[in-house]
Amino acid sequence: MSKYYQPEIETMALEDMQKLQSERLVKQVKHVWDNVPYYRKKMEDKGITPDDIKGIEDLHKLPFITKDDLRECYPYGLLATDLKNCVRIQSTSGTTGKRVVAFYTQNDVDLWEQCCARAITAVGGTNKDVCQVCYGYGLFTGGPGLHGGSHKVGCLTLPMSSGNTERQLQFMTDLGATILCCTPSYAAYLAESINEQGIKDKIKLKAGIFGAEAWSENMRKDIENKLGIKAYDIYGLTEISGPGVSFECEEQTGMHVNEDHFIPEIIDPETLEVLPLGQKGELVFTSITKEGFPLLRYRTKDICVLSREKCSCGRTLIKMAKPMGRSDDMLIIRGVNVFPSQIEEVLIAVGKGNITPNYLITIDRVNNTDTFDLDVEMSESMFSDDVKSIVRVENEIKDKLRSILGLGVGVHLVNPKSITRSEGKAKRVIDKRKI
């Protein structure tokens, strides 16, 4: 079996790839100009029309798209085709309670699943494998993306979704799963459970595809040792399609970008100038094949490096390093995007004289699972209230955060003036995870 899913693309000569990208970019710019008034106005504001875009050498002329644009255009403002042509949405949380909603035509779904199929094939997946997908299903892109990719490869697909570890292990052993797809923290938890139950000899896993949250090389080695597998990284974001925007190969030294669908750039987040290959900056993507929700020059806020160094796997697709941080204040907790501004909105809504605007988020990783705690200062008047009133407010904050984020948060009302003040920018987040 080939180690490539689409060898003609994955090993394409650079000159041919750039020609393909240019053709698709020109067509895509015309598509959004004709169908998305919001894009057309942004281009007009920069004094450009589709005629100014002759190929990828003109990409830098196009305006950027940011999360703020997605929020302003929610839900249908960036839709680039008639709604009747769309067959699905996927979604992730936004910065102010408004969610990011991405639309997919059937062709969009097919191409996305092909990208995920490339990732599965790159880790050795074939139609003889059993692929256990433990990413969340539903609005989250993780489950649907790898599920579809597994089908494309021809694997027997176990659509487990997240959680219910006993059932995960039962199916893993009974059906002989060989490829595991989930968050790295859940993979580590499964490894611990397998060792605790003494069933490692019943496990047939050979590879894992782990993404949606940050993880270190030490964590990779630990998972590999405990599960007896090779652990591979995968990258994606709902705004662009989902997992499969890029994926690791056997070399495990960065992720190959599916650049026939997504053109990557690195920019200086301050000056917005495009940086040369090898320099660290903010990652920007342009979707050149998406029909329903094509984003041009979308600022991901992820900080990383691009490289065209020759790869021993034979793929010629450009590589991106594992993201090294963010140029904004977004946190990724248990695979969920969390913004401090979302916390602030809830605290303002619940406030009513009970709490102050001072809070502190503490994130840690205990037993390979992210913990998420929130300390909030009580007002002087609340401080003198009875315990029942304090617990009621804590629970109200917990419930509102769970409904917005889909995450459980440990909420603690603390004494007035007990959170350290800063003369400069307030320090709102302590991240103790070693990632």
Side-chain angles (χ1 to χ4, degrees):
M1 294 288 285
S2 171
K3 63 178 180 179
Y4 312 115
Y5 180 71
Q6 293 170 306
E8 71 284 359
I9 296 291
E10 295 173 64
T11 62
M12 184 179 281
L14 176 59
E15 186 181 337
D16 294 335
M17 177 61 76
Q18 291 179 334
K19 183 181 176 187
L20 177 64
Q21 287 178 324
S22 289
E23 290 169 359
R24 289 180 169 178
L25 176 64
V26 168
K27 183 179 175 185
Q28 187 72 290
V29 170
K30 181 76 165 58
H31 175 58
V32 298
W33 173 276
D34 289 343
N35 294 286
V36 186
Y38 188 84
Y39 263 120
R40 189 160 60 246
K41 183 172 187 311
K42 282 185 83 79
M43 289 174 66
E44 287 172 342
D45 288 347
K46 283 202 77 173
I48 59 172
T49 71
D51 292 337
D52 296 307
I53 309 300
K54 310 291 186 191
I56 56 173
E57 66 277 5
D58 296 319
L59 182 60
H60 69 279
K61 297 177 182 177
L62 292 168
F64 292 105
I65 286 289
T66 67
K67 267 263 173 59
D68 288 339
D69 294 302
L70 300 188
R71 186 164 66 244
E72 187 177 336
C73 293
Y74 174 90
Y76 292 120
L78 291 174
L79 183 63
T81 188
D82 196 302
L83 198 58
K84 70 181 181 185
N85 298 325
C86 296
V87 298
R88 190 195 298 179
I89 68 151
Q90 302 286 166
S91 177
T92 186
S93 65
T95 55
T96 61
K98 278 190 178 178
R99 301 186 69 87
V100 172
V101 177
F103 298 86
Y104 299 71
T105 65
Q106 186 56 55
N107 188 56
D108 292 337
V109 173
D110 288 339
L111 295 182
W112 173 29
E113 291 177 350
Q114 284 176 14
C115 290
C116 290
R118 293 178 190 176
I120 292 169
T121 306
V123 308
T126 72
N127 58 7
K128 295 178 182 175
D129 281 291
V130 178
C131 187
Q132 184 159 338
V133 183
C134 312
Y135 287 111
Y137 279 66
L139 291 172
F140 181 58
T141 54
L146 273 302
H147 177 103
S150 175
H151 276 214
K152 292 273 193 220
V153 173
C155 303
L156 174 64
T157 308
L158 310 185
M160 303 298 297
S161 195
S162 54
N164 201 330
T165 300
E166 285 303 312
R167 187 173 62 192
Q168 299 278 6
L169 297 182
Q170 180 191 343
F171 276 74
M172 187 182 290
T173 54
D174 291 353
L175 294 168
T178 54
I179 298 173
L180 177 65
C181 304
C182 61
T183 61
S185 57
Y186 192 55
Y189 180 71
L190 286 172
E192 283 191 355
S193 301
I194 286 165
N195 287 319
E196 284 170 6
Q197 295 184 25
I199 58 173
K200 190 172 181 181
D201 59 330
K202 296 180 181 178
I203 300 298
K204 296 181 179 177
L205 292 174
K206 65 179 184 181
I209 299 176
F210 307 135
E213 64 187 16
W215 54 310
S216 64
E217 283 302 309
N218 284 339
M219 189 172 184
R220 186 209 296 265
K221 290 185 177 70
D222 188 55
I223 292 169
E224 289 184 333
N225 290 335
K226 286 180 177 173
L227 286 178
I229 65 171
K230 291 277 278 180
Y232 298 88
D233 213 343
I234 191 168
Y235 174 90
L237 54 170
T238 302
E239 299 92 319
I240 300 299
S241 70
V245 170
S246 65
F247 61 92
E248 263 189 330
C249 64
E250 62 210 35
E251 201 175 85
Q252 294 177 297
T253 56
M255 291 168 279
H256 289 286
V257 177
N258 284 311
E259 55 180 327
D260 54 322
H261 299 298
F262 316 105
I263 302 177
E265 301 171 271
I266 296 290
I267 64 165
D268 181 316
E270 300 296 328
T271 67
L272 306 185
E273 291 299 310
V274 179
L275 299 176
L277 280 177
Q279 286 201 22
K280 184 169 75 171
E282 182 183 337
L283 183 61
V284 172
F285 277 115
T286 294
S287 299
I288 51 175
T289 55
K290 286 282 289 286
E291 296 172 338
F293 192 72
L295 297 186
L296 306 183
R297 303 197 82 199
Y298 179 69
R299 294 183 60 183
T300 68
K301 303 294 185 177
D302 284 324
I303 301 297
C304 80
V305 174
L306 294 175
S307 169
R308 282 211 180 271
E309 285 184 19
K310 190 173 181 180
C311 187
S312 61
C313 77
R315 288 176 181 81
T316 52
L317 298 170
I318 196 169
K319 267 187 180 178
M320 59 174 274
K322 184 189 285 285
M324 306 162 187
R326 302 272 306 172
S327 65
D328 65 0
D329 58 356
M330 189 182 85
L331 307 164
I332 300 178
I333 305 171
R334 290 175 233 149
V336 176
N337 297 349
V338 176
F339 290 87
S341 55
Q342 292 171 307
I343 310 286
E344 290 166 15
E345 291 219 340
V346 168
L347 297 183
I348 289 166
V350 174
K352 303 166 193 161
N354 293 323
I355 55 178
T356 75
N358 295 305
Y359 68 90
L360 183 66
I361 298 166
T362 304
I363 310 160
D364 205 346
R365 189 162 280 171
V366 179
N367 296 327
N368 294 305
T369 300
D370 290 345
T371 61
F372 182 5
D373 287 280
L374 175 66
D375 291 345
V376 185
E377 278 187 9
M378 289 182 274
S379 64
E380 294 286 354
S381 58
M382 182 76 185
F383 182 52
S384 59
D385 278 0
D386 58 84
V387 173
K388 273 187 182 176
S389 300
I390 293 171
V391 171
R392 177 182 53 75
V393 174
E394 285 179 339
N395 287 337
E396 189 179 352
I397 296 170
K398 280 182 195 175
D399 291 345
K400 285 189 182 299
L401 288 174
R402 183 178 285 281
S403 93
I404 289 171
L405 303 173
L407 283 175
V409 183
V411 176
H412 318 281
L413 293 189
V414 298
N415 294 347
K417 298 185 172 60
S418 62
I419 293 176
T420 305
R421 304 299 195 264
S422 169
E423 291 183 7
K425 187 178 179 182
K427 185 170 178 60
R428 299 294 193 195
V429 179
I430 297 175
D431 193 340
K432 298 180 178 178
R433 296 173 295 183
K434 292 181 172 53
I435 49 178

